[in-house]
Amino acid sequence: MPSSTGPSIDAITEGGRVTQVGEGQEAEESSPPVMTFGAPTAGEILAERYELVEHINNDSAGRLVWRGVDVVLRRPVAVVLRYPGGDSATEMLQAAVAASRVIHPNLVGVYDAIDEADRAYVVREWVDGQSLRELVAADGPLDPARATAIGNAVASALAAVHATGMVHGNVHPGTVMISDDGRVVVADARTDGADSQENDIRAIGGVLYFALTGHWPHGEAPLHGATAGHGRAAIPDAVRDAAGAIAAPRQVRAGVPAYLDDLTMDLLDPEIAPPSSDVLAAELGRLDIPADEQFLEQAGPLRFAAETEEEPSPLAAAGGRKVAMGIAGLLAVALVGLLIGISALGGDDKKPKTEPVARPTSSAPADAPSQPAAVIRQLAVEDIRIIDPDSNTRNELGDAEKVIDGDLDEGWETDTYKSAKFGGLKRGMGVWIDLGAEHTVKSVQAVFSASGATAQLYTGSSDPASSSSGDKKLVEEYLKTPIGEGSVRADGTRLTFSNGFDPDKKYRYLLFWITELPRKDSGDGYKIGVQELTVQGS
């Protein structure tokens, strides 16, 4: 992230379970000896809250990665530890602090960075799932829709990083993670003086190329992600001609849409200036439409033409290939073909009609200037409060602001109840959000203090006063307009709503409504904490 070398924590799959592999370069079979003074042990608790459970790996720089548990919040964590600490750990800690300031659903969260002099360690989110590298190795190249969705997630994450002026510097198939619940996250920032935002963006082209073909286009393949002790399992290099130029994805594999092929090759071409990460994220987001909404034909190719005619690609103004010209040419050929067909069917005694074959579907003038696609970003929250309509004491309303402060270690939590449904005393409790103005919303993500909570998302149009009667009025209105279908149970500590938003509708007020609580680890009752709520949209 900053210009100096920062943490790099690769993720690999061992026996079907994701493990978090050490910072820096991957451990080799002949790793240098590691100092033993200050070495951690299983069961040890760091900073009075992070219990070390299992040593996963250590890298060639002597840094160790442990699977741990935050005993305060009862959540799994990855602990990246090096010893000694002090001056030798300054860069690692500074980079971790910088990374922790960027909160985004597609970035691995950094929770803590501590220097104890004889050792230093970084605590971050534990990801259960597999890397893109492991996914493609197991199942082969991805279909275009899934590759586009992954590229969109990576670009959105980098847009958040670049908005702060920082750089990721370590984007490749080993650091792009797909969690068990389908979330795509980018891990393991590691930067040095040679890194730049442009290199990050070109790396997205590499990720797309790899997802579509199973080959890596950047020469020497990244080696992060190979299991330590098993040598270096390199990703296959791209197919190249005699001059060393890489083959386009469509030359490697049938069924890759021309537009996606061109976009990927543009990002890899050093002669073509790449778009900014937010413009690229907007473009990939525009194309990231579920297959059941006709994003894919039955045979596979993407359906770009009609959508591009109505919503021009922001890359057209950012210096990409001549996509618009190509589509215009295809439309012109189709128009000529239709006119010829009408003439042939009409016979010699009938003149072809002079009316246009197709009329514009938009009421806007034909010469109206085109608007670029909106950039998906984290939306600011103007007001937030806890909604508790069925309580007489109303003693659980504090700390609402901690749900949007960017700190995953602090949040709002319920009291303890005797059963999962608030002891039969309440219909539920919620977090009400005011975005300050109407926005197109793409997703809402909640980070809980424990797994197993059940929640639903609603919307409304009123902002009644904060009182028992005001909460009752709000809930009665909002529960009539759910976003999505039914309540959703979180398998882990994260719950994302992204499928129920109407792309043609604007939202200002949202109600995140909790209906069931998980049992406490101690077994004595039920409660939950909401550590963070983030809203993505434009």
Side-chain angles (χ1 to χ4, degrees), residues 356-397:
V357 175
R359 297 182 182 274
T361 58
S362 171
S363 59
D367 58 351
S370 61
Q371 298 295 324
V375 176
I376 303 302
R377 68 187 191 282
Q378 182 172 323
L379 300 177
V381 175
E382 181 174 290
D383 191 17
I384 185 169
R385 65 175 185 258
I386 306 303
I387 303 299
D388 189 7
D390 301 324
S391 173
N392 294 323
T393 61
R394 293 176 63 80
N395 60 356
E396 300 169 77
L397 305 185

Short mmCIF file of all heavy atoms in Angstrom, two decimals, residues 356-397:
data_model
loop_
_atom_site.label_atom_id
_atom_site.label_comp_id
_atom_site.label_asym_id
_atom_site.label_seq_id
_atom_site.Cartn_x
_atom_site.Cartn_y
_atom_site.Cartn_z
N PRO A 356 -37.21 4.34 -40.88
CA PRO A 356 -36.11 3.61 -40.23
C PRO A 356 -36.56 2.21 -39.84
O PRO A 356 -37.71 1.99 -39.48
CB PRO A 356 -35.80 4.45 -38.97
CG PRO A 356 -36.40 5.81 -39.25
CD PRO A 356 -37.54 5.58 -40.16
N VAL A 357 -35.63 1.27 -39.93
CA VAL A 357 -35.94 -0.10 -39.55
C VAL A 357 -36.21 -0.19 -38.06
O VAL A 357 -37.07 -0.93 -37.62
CB VAL A 357 -34.76 -1.02 -39.94
CG1 VAL A 357 -35.01 -2.43 -39.44
CG2 VAL A 357 -34.58 -1.01 -41.45
N ALA A 358 -35.47 0.56 -37.25
CA ALA A 358 -35.67 0.54 -35.81
C ALA A 358 -35.74 1.96 -35.29
O ALA A 358 -34.99 2.81 -35.73
CB ALA A 358 -34.52 -0.21 -35.12
N ARG A 359 -36.66 2.20 -34.38
CA ARG A 359 -36.79 3.52 -33.77
C ARG A 359 -36.06 3.54 -32.43
O ARG A 359 -36.00 2.53 -31.75
CB ARG A 359 -38.26 3.87 -33.56
CG ARG A 359 -39.06 3.96 -34.86
CD ARG A 359 -40.49 4.36 -34.57
NE ARG A 359 -41.27 4.39 -35.79
CZ ARG A 359 -41.33 5.45 -36.59
NH1 ARG A 359 -40.64 6.54 -36.30
NH2 ARG A 359 -42.06 5.42 -37.69
N PRO A 360 -35.54 4.71 -32.06
CA PRO A 360 -34.89 4.78 -30.75
C PRO A 360 -35.87 4.46 -29.65
O PRO A 360 -37.03 4.87 -29.70
CB PRO A 360 -34.41 6.25 -30.67
CG PRO A 360 -34.42 6.75 -32.08
CD PRO A 360 -35.48 5.98 -32.78
N THR A 361 -35.39 3.71 -28.65
CA THR A 361 -36.24 3.35 -27.52
C THR A 361 -36.20 4.40 -26.44
O THR A 361 -36.98 4.38 -25.51
CB THR A 361 -35.81 2.01 -26.93
OG1 THR A 361 -34.43 2.11 -26.54
CG2 THR A 361 -35.94 0.90 -27.96
N SER A 362 -35.25 5.33 -26.52
CA SER A 362 -35.12 6.36 -25.51
C SER A 362 -35.80 7.64 -25.98
O SER A 362 -35.84 7.94 -27.16
CB SER A 362 -33.64 6.64 -25.22
OG SER A 362 -33.49 7.77 -24.40
N SER A 363 -36.34 8.40 -25.03
CA SER A 363 -36.96 9.66 -25.37
C SER A 363 -35.95 10.78 -25.52
O SER A 363 -36.30 11.88 -25.90
CB SER A 363 -37.97 10.04 -24.28
OG SER A 363 -37.33 10.15 -23.03
N ALA A 364 -34.68 10.50 -25.22
CA ALA A 364 -33.64 11.52 -25.33
C ALA A 364 -33.34 11.79 -26.79
O ALA A 364 -33.46 10.91 -27.65
CB ALA A 364 -32.38 11.07 -24.61
N PRO A 365 -32.95 13.01 -27.16
CA PRO A 365 -32.59 13.31 -28.54
C PRO A 365 -31.44 12.45 -29.01
O PRO A 365 -30.58 12.06 -28.21
CB PRO A 365 -32.19 14.79 -28.49
CG PRO A 365 -32.54 15.29 -27.14
CD PRO A 365 -32.83 14.16 -26.27
N ALA A 366 -31.41 12.17 -30.31
CA ALA A 366 -30.37 11.30 -30.84
C ALA A 366 -29.00 11.88 -30.65
O ALA A 366 -28.02 11.15 -30.55
CB ALA A 366 -30.64 11.03 -32.33
N ASP A 367 -28.88 13.22 -30.64
CA ASP A 367 -27.56 13.82 -30.53
C ASP A 367 -27.22 14.21 -29.09
O ASP A 367 -26.29 14.97 -28.84
CB ASP A 367 -27.47 15.06 -31.43
CG ASP A 367 -28.55 16.10 -31.07
OD1 ASP A 367 -29.45 15.75 -30.26
OD2 ASP A 367 -28.47 17.23 -31.61
N ALA A 368 -28.00 13.71 -28.12
CA ALA A 368 -27.71 14.03 -26.72
C ALA A 368 -26.37 13.42 -26.32
O ALA A 368 -26.04 12.31 -26.73
CB ALA A 368 -28.82 13.48 -25.83
N PRO A 369 -25.57 14.14 -25.54
CA PRO A 369 -24.26 13.61 -25.14
C PRO A 369 -24.41 12.38 -24.27
O PRO A 369 -25.31 12.30 -23.43
CB PRO A 369 -23.64 14.78 -24.34
CG PRO A 369 -24.81 15.60 -23.88
CD PRO A 369 -25.83 15.46 -24.96
N SER A 370 -23.56 11.38 -24.51
CA SER A 370 -23.62 10.14 -23.74
C SER A 370 -23.05 10.37 -22.35
O SER A 370 -22.18 11.20 -22.14
CB SER A 370 -22.82 9.04 -24.45
OG SER A 370 -21.47 9.43 -24.57
N GLN A 371 -23.57 9.62 -21.39
CA GLN A 371 -23.12 9.72 -20.01
C GLN A 371 -22.33 8.47 -19.64
O GLN A 371 -22.76 7.36 -19.94
CB GLN A 371 -24.32 9.86 -19.06
CG GLN A 371 -25.15 11.11 -19.29
CD GLN A 371 -24.35 12.37 -19.00
OE1 GLN A 371 -23.54 12.40 -18.09
NE2 GLN A 371 -24.57 13.41 -19.78
N PRO A 372 -21.18 8.62 -18.99
CA PRO A 372 -20.42 7.45 -18.58
C PRO A 372 -21.15 6.67 -17.51
O PRO A 372 -21.97 7.22 -16.78
CB PRO A 372 -19.11 8.05 -18.04
CG PRO A 372 -19.49 9.43 -17.60
CD PRO A 372 -20.53 9.87 -18.58
N ALA A 373 -20.86 5.39 -17.42
CA ALA A 373 -21.46 4.56 -16.40
C ALA A 373 -21.05 5.05 -15.02
O ALA A 373 -19.95 5.54 -14.82
CB ALA A 373 -21.04 3.10 -16.60
N ALA A 374 -21.96 4.93 -14.05
CA ALA A 374 -21.67 5.40 -12.70
C ALA A 374 -20.59 4.54 -12.06
O ALA A 374 -20.50 3.34 -12.31
CB ALA A 374 -22.95 5.35 -11.87
N VAL A 375 -19.78 5.17 -11.24
CA VAL A 375 -18.71 4.47 -10.55
C VAL A 375 -19.25 3.90 -9.24
O VAL A 375 -19.83 4.61 -8.43
CB VAL A 375 -17.53 5.42 -10.26
CG1 VAL A 375 -16.46 4.71 -9.44
CG2 VAL A 375 -16.95 5.95 -11.55
N ILE A 376 -19.09 2.60 -9.05
CA ILE A 376 -19.53 1.96 -7.83
C ILE A 376 -18.51 2.25 -6.73
O ILE A 376 -17.32 2.03 -6.90
CB ILE A 376 -19.68 0.45 -8.03
CG1 ILE A 376 -20.66 0.17 -9.18
CG2 ILE A 376 -20.16 -0.22 -6.75
CD1 ILE A 376 -22.04 0.74 -8.98
N ARG A 377 -19.00 2.74 -5.60
CA ARG A 377 -18.11 3.09 -4.49
C ARG A 377 -18.84 2.88 -3.18
O ARG A 377 -20.04 2.60 -3.16
CB ARG A 377 -17.70 4.57 -4.61
CG ARG A 377 -18.85 5.53 -4.38
CD ARG A 377 -18.47 6.96 -4.65
NE ARG A 377 -19.46 7.92 -4.21
CZ ARG A 377 -20.58 8.20 -4.82
NH1 ARG A 377 -20.87 7.60 -5.96
NH2 ARG A 377 -21.43 9.09 -4.32
N GLN A 378 -18.10 3.01 -2.08
CA GLN A 378 -18.75 2.95 -0.78
C GLN A 378 -19.45 4.27 -0.52
O GLN A 378 -18.84 5.34 -0.59
CB GLN A 378 -17.72 2.67 0.32
CG GLN A 378 -18.34 2.55 1.70
CD GLN A 378 -17.35 2.09 2.74
OE1 GLN A 378 -16.49 1.26 2.47
NE2 GLN A 378 -17.46 2.62 3.95
N LEU A 379 -20.74 4.21 -0.21
CA LEU A 379 -21.53 5.40 -0.01
C LEU A 379 -21.41 5.91 1.42
O LEU A 379 -21.35 5.12 2.37
CB LEU A 379 -23.00 5.12 -0.33
CG LEU A 379 -23.30 4.65 -1.77
CD1 LEU A 379 -24.78 4.34 -1.91
CD2 LEU A 379 -22.88 5.70 -2.78
N ALA A 380 -21.38 7.21 1.56
CA ALA A 380 -21.31 7.82 2.89
C ALA A 380 -22.68 7.74 3.56
O ALA A 380 -23.71 7.81 2.91
CB ALA A 380 -20.86 9.27 2.78
N VAL A 381 -22.67 7.58 4.87
CA VAL A 381 -23.89 7.51 5.66
C VAL A 381 -24.04 8.82 6.42
O VAL A 381 -23.15 9.23 7.17
CB VAL A 381 -23.85 6.33 6.64
CG1 VAL A 381 -25.08 6.35 7.56
CG2 VAL A 381 -23.79 5.01 5.88
N GLU A 382 -25.19 9.51 6.23
CA GLU A 382 -25.41 10.79 6.89
C GLU A 382 -25.93 10.61 8.31
O GLU A 382 -25.58 11.35 9.22
CB GLU A 382 -26.39 11.63 6.09
CG GLU A 382 -26.66 13.01 6.70
CD GLU A 382 -27.51 13.88 5.81
OE1 GLU A 382 -27.00 14.32 4.76
OE2 GLU A 382 -28.68 14.10 6.15
N ASP A 383 -26.79 9.61 8.51
CA ASP A 383 -27.37 9.39 9.84
C ASP A 383 -27.58 7.90 10.04
O ASP A 383 -27.86 7.16 9.08
CB ASP A 383 -28.69 10.15 9.96
CG ASP A 383 -29.21 10.18 11.39
OD1 ASP A 383 -28.41 9.91 12.32
OD2 ASP A 383 -30.40 10.48 11.60
N ILE A 384 -27.45 7.47 11.29
CA ILE A 384 -27.64 6.05 11.62
C ILE A 384 -28.17 5.96 13.04
O ILE A 384 -27.78 6.74 13.92
CB ILE A 384 -26.31 5.27 11.47
CG1 ILE A 384 -26.55 3.77 11.70
CG2 ILE A 384 -25.23 5.81 12.40
CD1 ILE A 384 -25.35 2.92 11.31
N ARG A 385 -29.08 5.04 13.28
CA ARG A 385 -29.55 4.82 14.65
C ARG A 385 -30.10 3.40 14.80
O ARG A 385 -30.42 2.74 13.82
CB ARG A 385 -30.60 5.85 15.04
CG ARG A 385 -31.91 5.84 14.30
CD ARG A 385 -32.86 6.86 14.92
NE ARG A 385 -34.18 6.83 14.33
CZ ARG A 385 -34.62 7.71 13.44
NH1 ARG A 385 -33.81 8.67 13.01
NH2 ARG A 385 -35.86 7.62 12.96
N ILE A 386 -30.17 2.97 16.05
CA ILE A 386 -30.68 1.65 16.37
C ILE A 386 -32.20 1.73 16.50
O ILE A 386 -32.73 2.62 17.15
CB ILE A 386 -30.05 1.12 17.67
CG1 ILE A 386 -28.53 1.17 17.59
CG2 ILE A 386 -30.54 -0.30 17.96
CD1 ILE A 386 -27.94 0.40 16.42
N ILE A 387 -32.90 0.76 15.89
CA ILE A 387 -34.36 0.72 15.91
C ILE A 387 -34.80 -0.42 16.83
O ILE A 387 -34.44 -1.58 16.62
CB ILE A 387 -34.92 0.51 14.49
CG1 ILE A 387 -34.43 1.63 13.57
CG2 ILE A 387 -36.44 0.45 14.52
CD1 ILE A 387 -34.86 3.01 13.97
N ASP A 388 -35.57 -0.09 17.87
CA ASP A 388 -36.00 -1.06 18.87
C ASP A 388 -37.45 -0.77 19.25
O ASP A 388 -37.73 -0.18 20.30
CB ASP A 388 -35.08 -0.96 20.09
CG ASP A 388 -35.32 -2.08 21.09
OD1 ASP A 388 -36.10 -3.00 20.77
OD2 ASP A 388 -34.73 -2.03 22.19
N PRO A 389 -38.40 -1.18 18.39
CA PRO A 389 -39.80 -0.75 18.59
C PRO A 389 -40.53 -1.45 19.73
O PRO A 389 -41.55 -0.94 20.20
CB PRO A 389 -40.45 -1.08 17.25
CG PRO A 389 -39.66 -2.25 16.75
CD PRO A 389 -38.24 -1.99 17.18
N ASP A 390 -40.05 -2.60 20.19
CA ASP A 390 -40.81 -3.40 21.15
C ASP A 390 -40.23 -3.39 22.55
O ASP A 390 -40.55 -4.25 23.36
CB ASP A 390 -40.92 -4.85 20.64
CG ASP A 390 -41.60 -4.94 19.29
OD1 ASP A 390 -42.52 -4.15 19.05
OD2 ASP A 390 -41.19 -5.79 18.47
N SER A 391 -39.33 -2.44 22.83
CA SER A 391 -38.69 -2.40 24.13
C SER A 391 -39.28 -1.30 25.00
O SER A 391 -39.60 -0.21 24.52
CB SER A 391 -37.18 -2.17 23.97
OG SER A 391 -36.57 -1.96 25.23
N ASN A 392 -39.40 -1.61 26.30
CA ASN A 392 -39.84 -0.60 27.25
C ASN A 392 -38.66 0.19 27.81
O ASN A 392 -38.77 1.38 28.08
CB ASN A 392 -40.61 -1.26 28.40
CG ASN A 392 -41.92 -1.86 27.93
OD1 ASN A 392 -42.59 -1.30 27.06
ND2 ASN A 392 -42.30 -3.00 28.50
N THR A 393 -37.52 -0.49 27.98
CA THR A 393 -36.34 0.17 28.57
C THR A 393 -35.53 0.94 27.55
O THR A 393 -34.92 1.95 27.88
CB THR A 393 -35.45 -0.88 29.24
OG1 THR A 393 -34.99 -1.82 28.25
CG2 THR A 393 -36.21 -1.62 30.33
N ARG A 394 -35.49 0.45 26.32
CA ARG A 394 -34.71 1.08 25.23
C ARG A 394 -33.29 1.39 25.67
O ARG A 394 -32.76 2.48 25.50
CB ARG A 394 -35.42 2.36 24.75
CG ARG A 394 -36.74 2.06 24.06
CD ARG A 394 -37.49 3.31 23.66
NE ARG A 394 -36.76 4.11 22.68
CZ ARG A 394 -36.70 3.86 21.37
NH1 ARG A 394 -37.29 2.78 20.89
NH2 ARG A 394 -36.06 4.68 20.56
N ASN A 395 -32.66 0.37 26.29
CA ASN A 395 -31.29 0.54 26.77
C ASN A 395 -30.25 -0.04 25.83
O ASN A 395 -29.09 -0.19 26.19
CB ASN A 395 -31.13 -0.10 28.15
CG ASN A 395 -31.44 -1.59 28.13
OD1 ASN A 395 -31.85 -2.13 27.10
ND2 ASN A 395 -31.28 -2.25 29.27
N GLU A 396 -30.64 -0.38 24.60
CA GLU A 396 -29.70 -0.97 23.63
C GLU A 396 -29.49 -0.06 22.43
O GLU A 396 -29.15 -0.52 21.34
CB GLU A 396 -30.23 -2.33 23.15
CG GLU A 396 -30.41 -3.35 24.25
CD GLU A 396 -31.17 -4.57 23.78
OE1 GLU A 396 -30.56 -5.41 23.10
OE2 GLU A 396 -32.37 -4.69 24.09
N LEU A 397 -29.67 1.23 22.61
CA LEU A 397 -29.64 2.15 21.48
C LEU A 397 -28.29 2.82 21.27
O LEU A 397 -28.10 3.53 20.27
CB LEU A 397 -30.72 3.24 21.66
CG LEU A 397 -32.15 2.74 21.89
CD1 LEU A 397 -33.10 3.92 21.93
CD2 LEU A 397 -32.56 1.76 20.81
#
